[in-house]
Amino acid sequence: MPHLAELLSQDCIALNVSAQTWQDAITRAGALLTAAGIAEDAYTEAMIANVLDNGPYIVVAPGFAFAHARSSSAVHRTGMSWLRLATPVAFGHKTNDPVTLVVALAATDASAHTAAMAELAKLLGNPARRAALDTAGTPAELLAVLEADQPPQATAAAAKSSNLILTVCGNGLGTSLFLKNTTEQVLQTWGWERFVNVEATDTISAKGRAKSADLILTSGEIAKTLGDVGVPVKVIDNFTSTTEVDAALRDSYDV
């Protein structure tokens, strides 16, 4: 699986860009994908429609929005763009607004980018690395931060477990992967990674699979969409916060 720096090139990075609205910010991030031949304008429209339909759940951490939409014929290859805003923009998220960083993902399938998403989640959850990303003066400097301490390719499949946690977003290939990674970090600190499996999925699949899971972790907007699915649905505001996820898991597992 490609790592983060492999999905992001210098020509897809724009720093200190002005945007008046969240739609404008996503449009500018999408324009970088289009210019690089990664996706078409229709994909940018789909990213905006995703927020209009599902709410600002893509603002997964303070100041950070992860723009994406379902895979479609408008995506030519998997890739990302990175847009750092000159002035923060409100997306309408109750706890993580305003946004200064928009990363847009275009993916040809639901799995090729998972390693990159795990790396990005860890970066954003590390205050020192996040500060380095926020102060990088050029695209080359930003890529250097992303490439530092890049993990090796995994050589073995993750062990299966008898219990299941679902992390859910609108499409199952973007923000839910951030939450999956953070949840796995918490389970590792508990020594539970061999016993509990974490899977990222979309709202439709989650409704069908909910009763096979111990619980669901998601955003407030997606929780409203899911409704009563027969298992606990825990709302997480900051998808990169191990502290917040730890508290939700402790409440569910009575740790």
Side-chain angles (χ1 to χ4, degrees), residues 117-203:
M117 295 303 93
E119 291 171 39
L120 183 55
K122 289 180 180 178
L123 275 173
L124 295 173
N126 182 317
R129 299 292 293 280
R130 174 64 189 269
L133 293 171
D134 289 341
T135 57
T138 66
E141 289 179 11
L142 190 141
L143 282 177
V145 176
L146 297 180
E147 291 169 350
D149 302 322
Q150 181 170 291
Q153 292 280 3
T155 57
K160 297 296 182 181
S161 63
S162 57
N163 297 308
L164 176 65
I165 297 171
L166 296 178
T167 61
V168 183
C169 70
N171 301 305
L173 54 78
T175 55
S176 58
L177 291 173
F178 280 94
L179 191 49
K180 176 181 185 292
N181 179 74
T182 304
T183 303
E184 289 175 338
Q185 289 183 61
V186 173
L187 292 173
Q188 287 171 5
T189 64
W190 292 6
W192 283 27
E193 68 272 19
R194 295 177 57 191
F195 309 108
V196 180
N197 192 36
V198 185
E199 295 184 15
T201 189
D202 61 87
T203 51

Side-chain angles (χ1 to χ4, degrees), residues 208-224:
R209 300 184 59 202
K211 291 184 179 179
S212 65
D214 295 329
L215 72 151
I216 289 174
L217 301 179
T218 189
S219 67
E221 293 84 1
I222 298 300
K224 293 177 183 177

